[in-house]
Amino acid sequence: MILLSTLGLVLAGGLTHYNTKQTLEQTTIDNLLALAAVQKERLSESIHAQIDRVALISSRTKLRQVFAQVVQADDASQEQRQILERILSDSMVSVDGFKELRLYDSQKKLRLNVKHPRLKETEDAVVEVPQFNRLAVHQIALGPTGELEIQIFERLQLYNTPIGYLAARIEADAFLEIFNNYEGFGETGEALLGRRDMYGNYLFLHDLRFDPHAGLKRHLPASNHDMPMSHAFGDDTKVLLNAVDYSGANVIAVAEPLPELGWGLVVKKSRDEVFARLDDNLTIFIVALLVLIVFFIVASLAVSRSLTRPLSNLTDMARRVADGDYSVRADVNTSDELGLFAKLFNTMLDSTQNFHSELDARVRERTEALEQSRADAQEANRAKSQFLAAMSHEVRTPMNAVLGMSEMLQNTSLNHQQREQVRIIRESGQSLLDLINQILDFSKIESQQLLLETIPFNLHESLYEAVRVNASNADTKVLDLVVDYPSELPHFFHGDPTRLKQIFINLIGNAVKFTNEGYVILRVRAEQEAACFDGGEVVNLEFSVEDSGTGISKEALLNLFEPFTQADASTTRKYGGTGLGLAISRRLAELMGGRLFAQSEQGSGSCFTLKLPLKVAEPF
């Protein structure tokens, strides 16, 4: 309950805080937009007043007539110079802020310059005359004494014929003074006027509120795109909600381009000042919320103390019941809901204890019956395996005699028909003996009576013996039967060579059986990349038997290693076999600590892989 109440209060406070913040932010933006409009209008009026004054001077007929004569003669006489200087001096005396007037010919060559009488003689500043596209063009430049000035250029024409330009150098303090008035800007608000130099850097045109000596000295590099001033030279007014000003403070700013003047105007205010009252309110809210939470907690503890003790007792009792102790009972002697719950809980425990007692008795009876059934099944399985082993052994003895007699009979003088009949008897007997041997091996594995040897043996020779057993069948089909045994791999290992050879005889025999043309390759690889192997070292070997035969379907691969299973229903009739070879091979591989698996696709051949760890033996 306390948590839900707290969450509700936090949610309500958060929504109120968010809405208030949005309102303050929008109010600040509207205020800055209004201030920017006022500053822009005042600046424009001041600049255009100066442009109008220069245009008025250039409109004097006497000035244009005399200057046309000077330009035509390519030099000024003393009288002409005095007339021009008098006209320009009189024009400057009556206008506040003018520093110098200059006359240029149509080729932008300086012909005359006149300074204001109140100025001392200083070195002439170099004035670069721009390409004019309009009647009155103005630009900002750094004056010869280091102060900021405005230069206004006006065309001079006489009877619609261009004769040159009139340039006025005017102190900028008169129209930049408006930026030192911070009425309505609050404690951190400020208006900034700037321009871009020839390198694209941003230059402030007046002293700043928090940097009184910044005029024409503080630059912002062109690469600094986070500053509000960098947004004041676009096409439209931009509102920046979280920008960083020249002092490093986070501000809300309005960037206003002044394309007519080529300048940029920024009006900004610190976010800390905008949201100061909101932050104070948030602090008060958090403190009040914490006090309220503490009050709720103390009140809840006082009210619930009488309830928690019985509940704690019931919890402990439930925990003991969960651990299997059904003898516990609730000791709550009240007539309220908790007392009724305790009585019902005790009744349930009585029923549960009786039920568990009956269930335990039944489980013991069923467990004893299952143990007896399991013992009987294991005994029957051992009897079956022993019977199969005994019968297989008994059948092998007469079969060996049949095979021996047929071999001796084959070496006697027989006609062609008799020799063919003896051959059939011998091959059938050999097939029957192989079947009996497989059944015997399988029964030994099932009854866990198959014992493996661990003796030193020559792995290289064992593999070649397995290949030689199947060589005649491969020659009959004209197959390439290849062994790929790396030269750096040792030949001698510890293991059971007979059973290992049995696996490869089966794998190679299957590959030859199901391959009509192409190849059968037995490859041997070691997972280790060492150049040599020491005696006693365990090497993880990978044997693969790959063929270009008929392949195996994905469905048949799933049950390929199950006993009495072959690739398809027609395999037994077409190729013969019992389906025990692969099952026995996998069981032998697992007994040796290895793993046997197959990869194949229908019509693309097969690859049987055996991964087996073997310990290196000393050569003998």
Side-chain angles (χ1 to χ4, degrees), residues 225-246:
H225 302 299
D226 295 331
M227 291 290 181
M229 185 59 70
S230 65
H231 298 275
F233 294 89
D235 298 328
D236 301 313
T237 302
K238 291 186 179 180
V239 176
L240 308 172
L241 297 178
N242 193 6
V244 180
D245 69 354
Y246 63 88

Side-chain angles (χ1 to χ4, degrees), residues 272-291:
D272 292 339
E273 180 184 359
V274 172
F275 300 117
R277 184 180 302 174
L278 181 64
D279 293 338
D280 294 340
N281 293 338
L282 180 61
T283 302
I284 295 173
F285 173 77
I286 293 175
V287 172
L289 181 62
L290 291 176
V291 172

Side-chain angles (χ1 to χ4, degrees), residues 523-537:
R523 290 190 176 91
V524 185
R525 294 291 184 269
E527 292 185 4
Q528 292 91 329
E529 297 182 357
C532 60
F533 302 90
D534 297 329
E537 180 182 357

Side-chain angles (χ1 to χ4, degrees), residues 351-584:
S351 300
T352 303
Q353 188 174 18
N354 295 334
F355 173 75
H356 274 274
S357 298
E358 297 177 1
L359 183 61
D360 288 341
R362 292 181 183 179
V363 169
R364 283 194 297 271
E365 293 176 1
R366 297 289 178 87
T367 302
E368 292 174 359
L370 289 175
E371 288 291 337
Q372 184 61 40
S373 299
R374 180 172 174 272
D376 294 342
Q378 289 178 343
E379 182 63 28
N381 189 46
R382 282 194 296 270
K384 179 202 69 173
S385 299
Q386 291 174 359
F387 172 76
L388 286 175
M391 289 303 298
S392 299
H393 182 73
E394 293 299 329
V395 173
R396 279 200 302 177
T397 301
M399 280 307 304
N400 285 327
V402 170
L403 291 176
M405 291 299 104
S406 62
E407 184 176 2
M408 293 174 61
L409 182 59
Q410 195 173 21
N411 293 330
T412 61
S413 298
L414 301 173
N415 57 35
H416 178 73
Q417 183 179 3
Q418 292 172 334
R419 187 171 298 279
E420 182 65 20
Q421 292 171 346
V422 172
R423 184 188 65 80
I424 293 174
I425 292 173
R426 177 172 175 77
E427 290 181 355
S428 299
Q430 185 63 47
S431 298
L432 183 57
L433 183 61
D434 292 340
L435 173 59
I436 293 170
N437 288 333
Q438 288 184 348
I439 294 175
L440 179 60
D441 289 340
F442 187 73
S443 64
K444 287 182 178 180
I445 293 173
E446 287 291 311
S447 61
Q448 298 181 355
Q449 294 180 357
L450 183 65
L451 300 178
L452 296 178
E453 291 184 312
T454 303
I455 61 173
F457 71 100
N458 191 325
L459 176 62
H460 187 268
E461 290 184 359
S462 297
L463 296 179
Y464 271 96
E465 288 177 8
V467 169
R468 281 195 294 270
V469 171
N470 295 282
S472 60
N473 292 334
D475 291 340
T476 302
K477 291 187 173 185
V478 195
L479 300 178
D480 292 331
L481 187 54
V482 180
V483 177
D484 182 5
Y485 196 100
S487 59
E488 69 273 10
L489 196 64
H491 286 198
F492 298 93
F493 292 89
H494 290 280
D496 191 330
T498 302
R499 295 302 181 183
L500 188 61
K501 185 164 59 177
Q502 180 180 348
I503 293 174
F504 288 109
I505 288 175
N506 183 273
L507 295 180
I508 297 172
N510 283 344
V512 172
K513 182 190 300 184
F514 292 98
T515 304
N516 295 324
E517 61 181 8
Y519 61 87
V520 175
I521 301 177
L522 170 59
R523 290 190 176 91
V524 185
R525 294 291 184 269
E527 292 185 4
Q528 292 91 329
E529 297 182 357
C532 60
F533 302 90
D534 297 329
E537 180 182 357
V538 176
V539 181
N540 293 316
L541 297 177
E542 181 178 290
F543 305 87
S544 61
V545 178
E546 182 180 349
D547 63 67
S548 59
T550 58
I552 305 170
S553 65
K554 293 182 179 179
E555 294 77 11
L557 272 176
L558 297 176
N559 300 315
L560 188 63
F561 291 96
E562 296 299 323
F564 308 105
T565 301
Q566 293 193 342
D568 55 64
S570 63
T571 300
T572 304
R573 296 192 299 271
K574 183 176 180 180
Y575 296 103
T578 63
L580 284 174
L582 290 178
I584 293 173

Side-chain angles (χ1 to χ4, degrees), residues 196-267:
R196 303 184 72 175
D197 61 16
M198 60 184 297
Y199 303 105
N201 300 318
Y202 304 101
L203 178 68
F204 291 118
L205 302 181
H206 58 91
D207 292 339
L208 306 180
R209 183 175 187 178
F210 303 103
D211 191 355
H213 305 290
L216 292 179
K217 298 177 183 178
R218 179 182 284 275
H219 287 74
L220 297 178
S223 59
N224 195 337
H225 302 299
D226 295 331
M227 291 290 181
M229 185 59 70
S230 65
H231 298 275
F233 294 89
D235 298 328
D236 301 313
T237 302
K238 291 186 179 180
V239 176
L240 308 172
L241 297 178
N242 193 6
V244 180
D245 69 354
Y246 63 88
S247 63
N250 291 328
V251 297
I252 298 176
V254 170
E256 181 76 35
L258 304 175
E260 184 181 10
L261 304 175
W263 300 340
L265 174 65
V266 172
V267 181

